[in-house]
Amino acid sequence: MEWSSAHFGVARMKPKSGTRVFMEIMGWALVFMSAAALAVTFNLHAYLDSFLVAYGGFHLDDVFISLNIAGLIGLIYSAVRVKDLTIENRRRREAERNVAWIAAHDALTGLPNRRSLDHKIDAVASARQDSFDRTVYSIDLDGFKRVNDLFGHAVGDEVLKIVAERLKAFFPDERVYRIGGDEFVVIARGADLDAAADLGQRIVQQLTAPIDADVMTVDVGASVGYAFCTGGGDALNTAILHSDHAMYAAKTSGRNHVMAFDPSMEQAVYKRAHLEGALKRAVREGTIKPYFQPLIDLSSDRVNGFEALARWEILPGEFVSPAEFIPLAEETGLMAPLTEHLLRQACIEARGWPGEVRLAFNLSPVLLSDSVIGLRLIRIMAEEGFSPERLELEITESSVMKDYPSAQKVLGDLTEAGASIALDDFGTGYSSLSQLSGFSFDTIKIDRSFVTAMNKGERQDKVIRSIIALGSALGVRTTAEGIEDEEQLAYLRSLGCDIGQGYLLGRPMTAEAARLFLETRGEKTPPALSKGTMEAGSGGAAWRRA
């Protein structure tokens, strides 16, 4: 796409500066020619000679020669100055053009940016075209965040540049825009449904080919949504919005999907906006509560602890799934206040449990990038009279690798205060044992997917046995999630798994139900004391998406 500085109000400055210099030169030339014509017409030279001879005693001829020399020098200086001004004006115009180009283009890829897209919309609206048939594609890269997390931003930038080059090569005569992070927009001529669907699939094929970035080859996917524009500027703006809705619908359907806009998608966007507003109120008012799921010692059948699961009840008996609101909280920056609220509520409840019953609490991956979150959690425990030695923080291996230095700082603060660390969903992340050996952890949690696949083949059984053997070799506990039948429980016990968790052993329950659960199993809870005088308690507080 070509942009001149006229789009940003600087084109009108060009003729002004150039015309001014030209008019000044022409003015001086006109004055000189007029003076010369008068001198010839009236024979001024003869009069001047007579005057100088008559008053020779005053040395007027010397004065006259000096004035001529000074005038010649002034003329030369003026010519040099005019040349300098011309060069300066040219440089200024080039700078204005560069500023205009920079303002309208993405610095990394060189593609037109969102501001450029806004000007395009305004230009189409101003043209008042009755027919403007275009197909708008919104493109978002799948797995790009993982590339940044694993390989660094330098590799991520190289991937974006290669993707931009591929899009420009694929659409040589169309407008391609980068409107943010890993999002692109293409405005292509024509508005044919079958052709648009085929083109969307071809875009995915182009972008999902392996990318040689820096010294490695990476793979990313692409989610594509498209919508049609058959009118002027307002219609183009609407089509861009609709294609964005379609792209998000494609992204939620899985990797490398292409979708056309459907009016129902707009309702989904409005629903998400409504949910976001309700979530902000819920976090502000503290209506999201921790529920507690038991962690059972498989050798003694006693309650080892509880894991807290965030539950949001919007109406009596009607809950919003954590799989919906936890990712939304992470995206909207609400995870920190939500986590602090849940930990505080869990500590208040857990301090009334028996001293040997531990509290497990999940820490969101986004919070591990906050180097002071550990200190804030320690402060909350101190305020509520809860000992960090009874807290077990659950983190995923991938979250540690996302920002390793910051994660080390956060986990170091918490372990120094006495908290223990559980490695959640073990075996499902992207880290290596060499990386994981860089920090200390006390528990390995076997992901429920391994437990579900248990006894369905020798290969799955070997994975379970290997994880439990690894825990034993490292001197750390192993916890199996998702135990739902007696056969699974018996097999895990036979392998020497330390802790079990799942619906068979206890479903998530309210704080009151957790107290009753302890009492019915013979786990005596201490009498209620003030938080300033009681020994800290424990339980299981971790927001989870389960």
Side-chain angles (χ1 to χ4, degrees):
M1 178 182 180
E2 296 182 358
W3 279 93
S4 72
S5 54
H7 292 88
F8 301 94
V10 297
R12 291 187 296 272
M13 296 177 66
K14 296 180 183 179
K16 284 185 178 180
S17 57
T19 301
R20 179 178 177 181
V21 173
F22 177 75
M23 292 301 294
E24 288 179 355
I25 293 174
M26 293 301 295
W28 280 110
L30 182 61
V31 170
F32 175 77
M33 288 187 292
S34 300
L38 289 172
V40 172
T41 302
F42 296 101
N43 197 17
L44 293 181
H45 185 270
Y47 288 108
L48 184 60
D49 286 344
S50 300
F51 181 80
L52 293 176
V53 170
Y55 297 94
F58 295 98
H59 302 285
L60 294 180
D61 52 344
D62 296 329
V63 174
F64 182 74
I65 291 173
S66 299
L67 290 174
N68 277 275
I69 293 173
L72 180 60
I73 293 173
L75 182 61
I76 294 172
Y77 174 79
S78 298
V80 172
R81 183 58 181 156
V82 167
K83 181 181 178 181
D84 290 342
L85 287 173
T86 303
I87 294 173
E88 183 65 26
N89 285 331
R90 186 185 305 117
R91 289 175 177 171
R92 187 176 65 183
R93 289 195 298 269
E94 289 175 356
E96 289 168 351
R97 283 194 295 269
N98 290 336
V99 169
W101 191 93
I102 292 171
H105 290 77
D106 172 54
L108 178 65
T109 63
L111 293 176
N113 58 16
R114 183 179 290 277
R115 182 179 182 184
S116 181
L117 180 59
D118 291 339
H119 279 280
K120 173 64 178 175
I121 295 171
D122 293 341
V124 172
S126 301
R128 301 183 182 277
Q129 293 174 271
D130 295 330
S131 178
F132 186 76
D133 294 342
R134 296 290 187 273
T135 303
V136 180
Y137 295 91
S138 287
I139 304 163
D140 187 86
L141 300 183
D142 298 328
F144 178 73
K145 183 175 181 295
R146 183 168 67 90
V147 171
N148 265 341
D149 292 344
L150 294 179
F151 306 121
H153 290 283
V155 174
D157 289 347
E158 187 66 23
V159 169
L160 288 174
K161 288 190 281 189
I162 293 173
V163 167
E165 290 298 327
R166 289 182 179 181
L167 287 173
K168 285 191 289 186
F170 192 67
F171 293 100
D173 301 320
E174 309 292 359
R175 293 181 174 90
V176 181
Y177 303 84
R178 183 190 176 202
I179 60 171
D182 58 348
E183 293 186 36
F184 301 84
V185 167
V186 179
I187 301 177
R189 280 184 283 269
D192 180 81
L193 182 60
D194 294 334
D198 177 67
L199 192 58
Q201 293 294 343
R202 289 163 58 198
I203 292 172
V204 171
Q205 292 173 5
Q206 288 286 323
L207 300 186
T208 54
I211 296 175
D212 293 324
D214 202 7
V215 294
M216 62 190 68
T217 300
V218 299
D219 294 306
V220 294
S223 296
V224 179
Y226 62 91
F228 301 112
C229 170
T230 56
D234 290 341
L236 177 59
N237 192 33
T238 301
I240 293 171
L241 182 63
H242 287 173
S243 70
D244 192 57
H245 295 341
M247 181 269 290
Y248 278 107
K251 200 169 186 68
T252 57
S253 300
R255 191 180 175 99
N256 300 335
H257 277 67
V258 179
M259 284 193 175
F261 171 74
D262 183 89
S264 62
M265 296 174 182
E266 203 162 18
Q267 294 301 318
V269 172
Y270 293 147
K271 178 182 176 182
R272 185 183 186 278
H274 175 74
L275 183 64
E276 182 178 339
L279 178 60
K280 289 179 179 178
R281 289 193 299 273
V283 171
R284 184 172 60 250
E285 297 169 3
T287 56
I288 300 176
K289 305 293 184 183
Y291 274 44
F292 302 93
Q293 186 172 26
L295 300 167
I296 304 299
D297 188 319
L298 297 186
S299 61
S300 65
D301 201 36
R302 294 180 65 84
V303 178
N304 175 267
F306 286 90
E307 178 182 8
L309 314 171
R311 292 296 182 261
W312 181 13
E313 188 174 17
I314 54 175
L315 292 172
E318 183 179 342
F319 292 83
V320 179
S321 169
E324 286 188 68
F325 71 81
I326 292 298
L328 185 59
E330 292 175 333
E331 293 171 15
T332 54
L334 296 172
M335 201 64 241
L338 176 58
T339 296
E340 292 176 12
H341 163 73
L342 290 174
L343 178 62
R344 188 178 298 278
Q345 294 301 310
C347 288
I348 291 172
E349 180 58 32
R351 71 189 181 201
W353 297 338
E356 70 275 8
V357 178
R358 298 178 61 81
L359 171 65
F361 193 89
N362 256 4
L363 199 57
S364 168
V366 301
L367 294 183
L368 285 178
S369 298
D370 181 357
S371 60
V372 298
I373 185 64
L375 299 177
R376 297 211 302 271
L377 299 183
I378 292 170
R379 186 195 65 210
I380 290 172
M381 288 184 281
E383 291 173 352
E384 300 304 333
F386 181 78
S387 172
E389 294 181 356
R390 298 177 62 195
L391 177 70
E392 183 172 77
L393 281 165
E394 298 186 2
I395 59 171
T396 62
E397 50 185 302
S398 298
S399 67
V400 175
M401 298 305 111
K402 179 182 177 183
D403 189 346
Y404 195 74
S406 179
Q408 279 190 312
K409 170 69 167 58
V410 171
L411 298 180
D413 290 339
L414 289 163
T415 54
E416 187 176 342
S420 58
I421 305 297
L423 201 58
D424 200 9
D425 300 338
F426 183 78
T428 62
Y430 305 101
S431 57
S432 68
L433 292 178
S434 63
Q435 291 172 311
L436 293 177
S437 65
F439 72 97
S440 175
F441 54 94
D442 308 277
T443 301
I444 294 175
K445 295 199 73 173
I446 304 171
D447 186 67
R448 67 180 64 248
S449 61
F450 296 125
V451 176
T452 302
M454 200 168 56
N455 295 328
K456 293 183 179 179
E458 184 179 357
R459 195 180 193 87
Q460 287 81 0
D461 290 350
K462 286 182 177 179
V463 171
I464 294 287
R465 287 198 298 269
S466 298
I467 295 175
I468 294 175
L470 175 64
S472 178
L474 294 175
V476 300
R477 294 183 297 272
T478 51
T479 299
E481 300 179 296
I483 302 175
E484 297 186 356
D485 60 53
E486 293 288 351
E487 185 179 4
Q488 293 173 340
L489 178 61
Y491 186 65
L492 288 166
R493 273 180 171 150
S494 70
L495 294 178
C497 183
D498 298 303
I499 309 296
Q501 179 182 7
Y503 280 3
L504 179 67
L505 302 173
R507 291 175 174 268
M509 59 191 74
T510 64
E512 183 179 355
R515 290 193 296 270
L516 182 61
F517 183 85
L518 288 170
E519 292 173 4
T520 56
R521 295 180 65 93
E523 311 277 353
K524 299 300 183 182
T525 58
L529 299 174
S530 68
K531 67 181 180 183
T533 59
M534 76 184 318
E535 180 184 0
S538 174
W543 54 261
R544 287 180 55 82
R545 305 180 189 183

